[in-house]
Amino acid sequence: MMDLIWGGEPLRLLPQKAALLPERRMLLVADAHLGKAVSFRRLGVPVPQGTTSDTLARLDGLVASHGVEHIVFLGDLLHSAHAHAPATQAAIGRWRDRHPRLALTLVRGNHDDRAGDPPPTLGIRCLDEPWALAGVALCHHPRAVPGRAVVAGHVHPGAWVGRGLDRMRLPCFHLHSGVAVLPAFGGFTGLHAVERVAGDRVIAVAEGRLFDVPGG
């Protein structure tokens, strides 16, 4: 874990590719993309099964470990309209049944525009960005919000580490110009290499820990 102050609020970065506002007991999760695998299989692309269940199980662990009372999904909770398939919705419904008192909020992203809001039975409040909480603004798209520090997702940031044949790209947090971009939480998502400039901070995720990536 890494703790910092962001917009005047404690913000804890987690190696599970999420962040926590500990004083609010609020978990921030970007780009879960539930139902992405089934969307690809509908197109005839052979991809692994069980990715939605794995993503939900990791949420279970974070809720239990950190005493979470509220999860905010920073956009792209559902990948597409195919995520409304009965099997996917049943898995999400079972997860919701395990956490009936947990507050859930979705700050809509671009995929949510196409997928539509989650079913009302899940009890997820849906908002457009930005959602302001004191000195912090919660968004999907990385963007400046005057007077507030932003936490966002959308770009699935990845950082190159190592050299030569040992070079690899890892998911990362990218902090730049008052915007903290979280890695994609979903298990079936790609990575987009960050373009860093002087003053940026890039924090990679590997083997259940976080570490600063030098450079820039």
Side-chain angles (χ1 to χ4, degrees):
M1 296 184 292
M2 284 191 182
D3 290 323
L4 53 124
I5 300 297
W6 199 252
E9 294 234 10
L11 178 68
R12 180 169 297 158
L13 308 184
L14 303 174
Q16 293 84 6
K17 300 189 296 184
L20 188 71
L21 292 171
E23 293 187 351
R24 299 177 182 269
R25 294 187 177 274
M26 180 181 287
L27 182 69
L28 308 179
V29 174
D31 302 288
H33 285 278
L34 299 177
K36 183 173 182 178
V38 72
S39 299
F40 273 68
R41 286 195 293 274
R42 289 285 184 92
L43 296 173
V45 181
V47 296
Q49 295 188 344
T51 55
T52 291
S53 296
D54 174 72
T55 299
L56 295 172
R58 289 188 290 114
L59 280 178
D60 283 337
L62 288 170
V63 169
S65 297
H66 298 282
V68 172
E69 297 178 355
H70 190 165
I71 298 178
V72 179
F73 297 100
L74 301 179
D76 293 0
L77 172 61
L78 302 179
H79 180 72
S80 73
H82 294 309
H84 292 273
T88 300
Q89 288 301 314
I92 300 171
R94 290 191 296 271
W95 177 86
R96 185 50 160 150
D97 289 343
R98 295 196 294 272
H99 305 283
R101 297 184 180 180
L102 192 63
L104 302 176
T105 299
L106 169 63
V107 179
R108 296 183 182 96
N110 54 303
H111 278 266
D112 303 298
D113 291 341
R114 298 196 292 272
D117 288 345
T121 53
L122 295 175
I124 302 175
R125 179 173 58 156
C126 299
L127 307 172
D128 292 328
E129 62 180 354
W131 183 27
L133 295 175
V136 175
L138 303 181
C139 300
H140 176 63
H141 297 90
R143 47 177 288 190
V145 175
R148 290 184 167 87
V150 172
V151 185
H154 181 56
V155 296
H156 305 190
W160 286 106
V161 297
R163 295 181 180 180
L165 295 177
D166 294 324
R167 194 168 182 247
M168 64 184 301
R169 192 160 56 187
L170 298 174
C172 70
F173 298 84
H174 184 199
L175 281 58
H176 62 103
S177 303
V179 179
V181 184
L182 306 190
F185 187 79
F188 182 48
T189 52
L191 293 174
H192 178 74
V194 299
E195 297 181 6
R196 63 189 297 173
V197 299
D200 286 6
R201 187 177 182 188
V202 175
I203 302 164
V205 180
E207 300 295 330
R209 64 186 185 94
L210 302 175
F211 61 94
D212 277 287
V213 178

